[in-house]
Amino acid sequence: MCLHTIYSRSVIPSFYFPSPPTMVPVDGASLCVFLLCLCCYVSGLDNGLGLTPQMGYSTWNDCSSNITEARVKFMADAMVSTGLARLGYEYVNVDEGWLKGRDADGNMVADPVRFPSGMKALGDYIHSKGLKYGLYTSRGSCQCSTSQYQGPGSQGYEVQDAKIMVAWGADYIKEDSCCGSQVHDDAFSQYGKFRDALNGTGKPVFFALCGWSSWYAPVGWTLGNSWRISGDGQNWAALTNAINIMANLTLYSRPGGWSDPDMLIGTGVGSYGPDRGGWYQTDLQSRSQFSMWCVFPAPLVISANIMAVSGYAFETWSNSEAIAIQKDSGRFPEFPHAGFRLAGGVLGQDSGTNIWGRALSDGGFAVVFVNNNPNAVNITCDQSCFSQMKFPSAFSLEVRDLWAHQVLGTISTPTLTAMNVQGTGGCAMLRLRLVTA
């Protein structure tokens, strides 16, 4: 649990805040790539989607490639019956494992055993629940594959595949990067082909790039609505790495396109797919992941059996106050669209603390404290940390705990401490609301 208390103490205030372009270090090569792509890809993805990061369910960490029509329908039903759909979880994404191959004309053919009704019928079922339908492919010659599954990719079939998936009702397409060139320009070109193919269908389709690398971030908004920035987030160590990477990508997320540090995962209870060791994390770590993903903000795509997870885990993913942070419009251009690291350096797998914040449209801030040390610690947002939130020189802030769902008090001095933040991936999540200026 993210149990903590807070206190404030007086320090001499200092209210310097660097301008957004200097907040995150950007090397010369990244800047050149950004400017080059600004010139080369000005057409971009013309779909009007992704004004805030996407929310939904994905089969991948839940089932790996061992997916079936019955399982997907079960999860679609669960999203409605549990109330998750009402909270904004709208996409039901069928990841790798549905595609059997291609027919003589090169058209995609679904696995008739796993998906006996066909992919259009599955899309119709998902739509009948008031949800949106996602499908998967890869930009290379093959899909990523597991020990149980191998399938073809979309290289050379971009227009054909986009048309058929849209004809089946797809509202969302995730395109992986397996069996494709990892040369930057080649990768951008391949993703650009599928982007253009989707634009050509005339239907707005959310396009999620899955290239696993931070070098997509400077150009991601020209290609898709979200872009993966790191390897698979299969456990807390991998997700900690993603947090470290996100610290350098603050400038790139914006309405219409968002850096994606991967899906929301749980303990693995009720899931049956993964054929690799070391997947999943504790419920405590899942709560810290969710808190961080809301303040980034990043996609909230649950990849777990939501009917089997603990009450604690379900409470985490259904916290409407935390989701409101992810959906907040922010305060651009005074602050970046994305959240940023206020204090702490690179997190180790089992060491270090971080404080992250995101400017909110009401003039306040959301703040997350994360502890990767083995034991519980107090984490202080000191004068240097606090000054980056640019509150007036005279202020009063209401402090609300978004996990306890209660106001903890008010502060009027520029420092804040989260007490007894649990170790090994514990967190505290607070909302600071300006009461008087």
Side-chain angles (χ1 to χ4, degrees):
M1 296 174 64
C2 294
L3 296 177
H4 62 282
T5 56
I6 64 164
Y7 70 87
S8 63
R9 65 186 180 202
S10 296
V11 295
I12 299 172
S14 173
F15 289 94
Y16 167 75
F17 186 79
S19 62
T22 61
M23 185 182 307
V24 177
V26 180
D27 59 57
S30 295
L31 182 60
C32 290
V33 170
F34 176 78
L35 294 174
L36 175 63
C37 292
L38 184 62
C39 297
C40 297
Y41 297 105
V42 291
S43 60
L45 182 64
D46 182 22
N47 64 13
L49 302 176
L51 298 183
T52 58
Q54 68 269 34
M55 296 175 64
Y57 161 82
S58 169
T59 59
W60 178 243
N61 290 81
D62 185 22
C63 307
S64 187
S65 61
N66 300 314
I67 51 176
T68 64
E69 176 183 315
R71 178 68 164 200
V72 176
K73 288 181 175 179
F74 173 77
M75 297 309 297
D77 292 344
M79 288 177 65
V80 175
S81 66
T82 60
L84 288 175
R86 292 194 300 273
L87 292 171
Y89 293 92
E90 59 180 343
Y91 291 103
V92 178
N93 297 335
V94 184
D95 209 285
E96 183 179 87
W98 66 269
L99 181 64
K100 182 71 172 179
R102 298 185 182 276
D103 65 18
D105 295 319
N107 294 312
M108 290 175 146
V109 176
D111 189 316
V113 175
R114 294 183 177 185
F115 294 86
S117 301
M119 304 314 288
K120 184 180 186 306
L122 179 58
D124 290 344
Y125 183 87
I126 290 170
H127 289 150
S128 75
K129 300 294 179 179
L131 300 168
K132 296 178 181 178
Y133 180 34
L135 287 172
Y136 167 97
T137 187
S138 183
R139 68 177 174 85
S141 59
C142 69
Q143 296 188 6
C144 291
S145 304
T146 66
S147 59
Q148 294 88 23
Y149 173 80
Q150 294 81 41
S154 287
Q155 185 174 343
Y157 293 89
E158 289 85 0
V159 172
Q160 195 168 354
D161 289 356
K163 284 182 177 179
I164 196 167
M165 286 193 280
V166 168
W168 288 336
D171 306 293
Y172 182 116
I173 291 176
K174 170 185 171 181
E175 189 171 37
D176 222 324
S177 198
C178 290
C179 302
S181 170
Q182 299 305 309
V183 175
H184 295 196
D185 287 345
D186 293 346
F188 301 153
S189 176
Q190 285 187 320
Y191 275 126
K193 288 178 181 178
F194 212 97
R195 171 206 62 198
D196 294 344
L198 289 174
N199 282 342
T201 67
K203 176 182 176 178
V205 177
F206 193 104
F207 188 31
L209 316 184
C210 186
W212 341 296
S213 299
S214 61
W215 45 265
Y216 284 98
V219 303
W221 65 277
T222 71
L223 299 170
N225 299 113
S226 66
W227 46 88
R228 278 276 302 281
I229 54 85
S230 60
D232 283 1
Q234 68 266 32
N235 53 41
W236 182 242
L239 295 170
T240 292
N241 180 60
I243 292 171
N244 290 328
I245 292 172
M246 287 290 282
N248 295 316
L249 305 180
T250 300
L251 297 182
Y252 303 121
S253 288
R254 66 192 71 194
W258 305 93
S259 292
D260 177 6
D262 210 4
M263 293 171 279
L264 302 174
I265 62 171
T267 64
V269 61
S271 295
Y272 57 79
D275 59 345
R276 307 165 196 169
W279 283 37
Y280 306 126
Q281 61 185 344
T282 68
D283 277 345
L284 177 69
Q285 293 162 349
S286 291
R287 180 158 293 188
S288 295
Q289 180 194 10
F290 191 80
S291 300
M292 287 297 302
W293 270 225
C294 287
V295 85
F296 280 148
L300 301 179
V301 179
I302 298 170
S303 197
N305 182 346
I306 59 178
M307 297 301 287
V309 298
S310 69
Y312 183 95
F314 186 80
E315 179 189 19
T316 294
W317 295 331
S318 60
N319 185 332
S320 60
E321 292 192 76
I323 292 170
I325 303 303
Q326 193 247 21
K327 293 301 181 190
D328 194 274
S329 58
R331 256 187 293 154
F332 186 82
E334 182 182 9
F335 292 92
H337 293 290
F340 54 95
R341 186 156 55 194
L342 294 167
V346 174
L347 281 172
Q349 180 177 341
D350 54 6
S351 63
T353 64
N354 264 193
I355 306 173
W356 283 67
R358 186 181 185 222
L360 303 178
S361 57
D362 66 357
F365 245 82
V367 183
V368 175
F369 302 75
V370 176
N371 178 23
N372 267 13
N373 294 302
N375 301 313
V377 298
N378 299 337
I379 306 175
T380 296
C381 181
D382 61 14
Q383 179 183 0
S384 175
C385 165
F386 206 94
S387 68
Q388 296 175 65
M389 293 183 273
K390 295 180 66 176
F391 288 117
S393 57
F395 65 86
S396 179
L397 294 173
E398 176 189 271
V399 181
R400 183 173 179 83
D401 185 326
L402 299 190
W403 291 113
H405 303 290
Q406 64 181 17
V407 174
L408 302 178
T410 59
I411 61 173
S412 56
T413 52
T415 185
L416 182 68
T417 293
M419 303 290 290
N420 196 35
V421 180
Q422 292 190 49
T424 318
C427 73
M429 188 176 192
L430 306 177
R431 181 167 185 158
L432 310 182
R433 196 184 305 270
L434 196 63
V435 179
T436 59

